PDB file of all heavy atoms in Angstrom:
ATOM      1  N   ILE O 286      18.258  -1.622 -30.295  1.00  0.00           N
ATOM      2  CA  ILE O 286      18.094  -1.029 -31.623  1.00  0.00           C
ATOM      3  C   ILE O 286      19.040   0.159 -31.725  1.00  0.00           C
ATOM      4  O   ILE O 286      19.094   1.000 -30.817  1.00  0.00           O
ATOM      5  CB  ILE O 286      16.635  -0.577 -31.834  1.00  0.00           C
ATOM      6  CG1 ILE O 286      15.690  -1.775 -31.732  1.00  0.00           C
ATOM      7  CG2 ILE O 286      16.482   0.134 -33.172  1.00  0.00           C
ATOM      8  CD1 ILE O 286      14.221  -1.390 -31.705  1.00  0.00           C
ATOM      9  N   LYS O 287      19.791   0.236 -32.804  1.00  0.00           N
ATOM     10  CA  LYS O 287      20.754   1.311 -32.995  1.00  0.00           C
ATOM     11  C   LYS O 287      20.334   2.215 -34.159  1.00  0.00           C
ATOM     12  O   LYS O 287      19.508   1.828 -34.984  1.00  0.00           O
ATOM     13  CB  LYS O 287      22.144   0.721 -33.256  1.00  0.00           C
ATOM     14  CG  LYS O 287      22.636  -0.188 -32.148  1.00  0.00           C
ATOM     15  CD  LYS O 287      23.979  -0.806 -32.491  1.00  0.00           C
ATOM     16  CE  LYS O 287      24.430  -1.781 -31.410  1.00  0.00           C
ATOM     17  NZ  LYS O 287      25.749  -2.411 -31.732  1.00  0.00           N
ATOM     18  N   ALA O 288      20.923   3.377 -34.197  1.00  0.00           N
ATOM     19  CA  ALA O 288      20.600   4.336 -35.258  1.00  0.00           C
ATOM     20  C   ALA O 288      21.060   3.811 -36.611  1.00  0.00           C
ATOM     21  O   ALA O 288      22.106   3.184 -36.734  1.00  0.00           O
ATOM     22  CB  ALA O 288      21.269   5.679 -34.967  1.00  0.00           C
ATOM     23  N   ARG O 289      20.251   4.081 -37.620  1.00  0.00           N
ATOM     24  CA  ARG O 289      20.583   3.671 -38.982  1.00  0.00           C
ATOM     25  C   ARG O 289      21.561   4.657 -39.615  1.00  0.00           C
ATOM     26  O   ARG O 289      21.790   5.736 -39.093  1.00  0.00           O
ATOM     27  CB  ARG O 289      19.301   3.593 -39.810  1.00  0.00           C
ATOM     28  CG  ARG O 289      18.311   2.526 -39.352  1.00  0.00           C
ATOM     29  CD  ARG O 289      16.932   2.799 -39.889  1.00  0.00           C
ATOM     30  NE  ARG O 289      16.480   4.137 -39.473  1.00  0.00           N
ATOM     31  CZ  ARG O 289      15.542   4.815 -40.082  1.00  0.00           C
ATOM     32  NH1 ARG O 289      14.958   4.338 -41.155  1.00  0.00           N
ATOM     33  NH2 ARG O 289      15.168   6.001 -39.627  1.00  0.00           N
ATOM     34  N   ALA O 290      22.102   4.275 -40.734  1.00  0.00           N
ATOM     35  CA  ALA O 290      23.116   5.091 -41.406  1.00  0.00           C
ATOM     36  C   ALA O 290      22.594   6.481 -41.744  1.00  0.00           C
ATOM     37  O   ALA O 290      23.317   7.473 -41.613  1.00  0.00           O
ATOM     38  CB  ALA O 290      23.605   4.386 -42.667  1.00  0.00           C
ATOM     39  N   ASP O 291      21.330   6.574 -42.182  1.00  0.00           N
ATOM     40  CA  ASP O 291      20.805   7.886 -42.565  1.00  0.00           C
ATOM     41  C   ASP O 291      20.687   8.817 -41.365  1.00  0.00           C
ATOM     42  O   ASP O 291      20.920  10.021 -41.470  1.00  0.00           O
ATOM     43  CB  ASP O 291      19.458   7.742 -43.287  1.00  0.00           C
ATOM     44  CG  ASP O 291      18.409   7.042 -42.442  1.00  0.00           C
ATOM     45  OD1 ASP O 291      18.771   6.356 -41.469  1.00  0.00           O
ATOM     46  OD2 ASP O 291      17.206   7.176 -42.763  1.00  0.00           O
ATOM     47  N   GLU O 292      20.360   8.266 -40.187  1.00  0.00           N
ATOM     48  CA  GLU O 292      20.279   9.103 -38.992  1.00  0.00           C
ATOM     49  C   GLU O 292      21.673   9.510 -38.523  1.00  0.00           C
ATOM     50  O   GLU O 292      21.892  10.649 -38.108  1.00  0.00           O
ATOM     51  CB  GLU O 292      19.545   8.378 -37.860  1.00  0.00           C
ATOM     52  CG  GLU O 292      19.455   9.212 -36.589  1.00  0.00           C
ATOM     53  CD  GLU O 292      18.546   8.637 -35.526  1.00  0.00           C
ATOM     54  OE1 GLU O 292      17.920   7.582 -35.781  1.00  0.00           O
ATOM     55  OE2 GLU O 292      18.430   9.240 -34.444  1.00  0.00           O
ATOM     56  N   LEU O 293      22.615   8.588 -38.589  1.00  0.00           N
ATOM     57  CA  LEU O 293      23.986   8.898 -38.193  1.00  0.00           C
ATOM     58  C   LEU O 293      24.564  10.030 -39.034  1.00  0.00           C
ATOM     59  O   LEU O 293      25.315  10.876 -38.536  1.00  0.00           O
ATOM     60  CB  LEU O 293      24.859   7.652 -38.330  1.00  0.00           C
ATOM     61  CG  LEU O 293      24.592   6.528 -37.324  1.00  0.00           C
ATOM     62  CD1 LEU O 293      25.371   5.282 -37.723  1.00  0.00           C
ATOM     63  CD2 LEU O 293      24.969   6.974 -35.918  1.00  0.00           C
ATOM     64  N   ALA O 294      24.195  10.062 -40.303  1.00  0.00           N
ATOM     65  CA  ALA O 294      24.703  11.100 -41.197  1.00  0.00           C
ATOM     66  C   ALA O 294      24.184  12.478 -40.809  1.00  0.00           C
ATOM     67  O   ALA O 294      24.872  13.489 -40.958  1.00  0.00           O
ATOM     68  CB  ALA O 294      24.314  10.778 -42.639  1.00  0.00           C
ATOM     69  N   VAL O 295      22.955  12.528 -40.277  1.00  0.00           N
ATOM     70  CA  VAL O 295      22.329  13.798 -39.905  1.00  0.00           C
ATOM     71  C   VAL O 295      22.660  14.187 -38.470  1.00  0.00           C
ATOM     72  O   VAL O 295      22.846  15.359 -38.149  1.00  0.00           O
ATOM     73  CB  VAL O 295      20.797  13.711 -40.087  1.00  0.00           C
ATOM     74  CG1 VAL O 295      20.123  14.991 -39.608  1.00  0.00           C
ATOM     75  CG2 VAL O 295      20.457  13.449 -41.542  1.00  0.00           C
ATOM     76  N   ASN O 296      22.752  13.195 -37.589  1.00  0.00           N
ATOM     77  CA  ASN O 296      22.929  13.454 -36.161  1.00  0.00           C
ATOM     78  C   ASN O 296      24.006  12.546 -35.582  1.00  0.00           C
ATOM     79  O   ASN O 296      23.713  11.443 -35.106  1.00  0.00           O
ATOM     80  CB  ASN O 296      21.600  13.241 -35.422  1.00  0.00           C
ATOM     81  CG  ASN O 296      21.706  13.592 -33.946  1.00  0.00           C
ATOM     82  OD1 ASN O 296      22.662  14.229 -33.518  1.00  0.00           O
ATOM     83  ND2 ASN O 296      20.722  13.165 -33.179  1.00  0.00           N
ATOM     84  N   PRO O 297      25.268  12.972 -35.595  1.00  0.00           N
ATOM     85  CA  PRO O 297      26.370  12.140 -35.095  1.00  0.00           C
ATOM     86  C   PRO O 297      26.198  11.709 -33.642  1.00  0.00           C
ATOM     87  O   PRO O 297      26.727  10.681 -33.235  1.00  0.00           O
ATOM     88  CB  PRO O 297      27.598  13.049 -35.261  1.00  0.00           C
ATOM     89  CG  PRO O 297      27.219  14.001 -36.339  1.00  0.00           C
ATOM     90  CD  PRO O 297      25.747  14.237 -36.149  1.00  0.00           C
ATOM     91  N   ARG O 298      25.440  12.488 -32.842  1.00  0.00           N
ATOM     92  CA  ARG O 298      25.248  12.134 -31.434  1.00  0.00           C
ATOM     93  C   ARG O 298      24.481  10.834 -31.256  1.00  0.00           C
ATOM     94  O   ARG O 298      24.497  10.232 -30.195  1.00  0.00           O
ATOM     95  CB  ARG O 298      24.501  13.271 -30.712  1.00  0.00           C
ATOM     96  CG  ARG O 298      25.373  14.476 -30.395  1.00  0.00           C
ATOM     97  CD  ARG O 298      24.561  15.572 -29.736  1.00  0.00           C
ATOM     98  NE  ARG O 298      25.407  16.706 -29.370  1.00  0.00           N
ATOM     99  CZ  ARG O 298      24.946  17.892 -29.009  1.00  0.00           C
ATOM    100  NH1 ARG O 298      23.655  18.100 -28.970  1.00  0.00           N
ATOM    101  NH2 ARG O 298      25.775  18.864 -28.698  1.00  0.00           N
TER     102      ARG O 298
END
Side-chain angles (χ1 to χ4, degrees):
I286 299 171
K287 302 177 183 180
R289 295 161 303 159
D291 59 341
E292 179 170 357
L293 290 171
V295 176
N296 184 14
R298 284 178 177 167

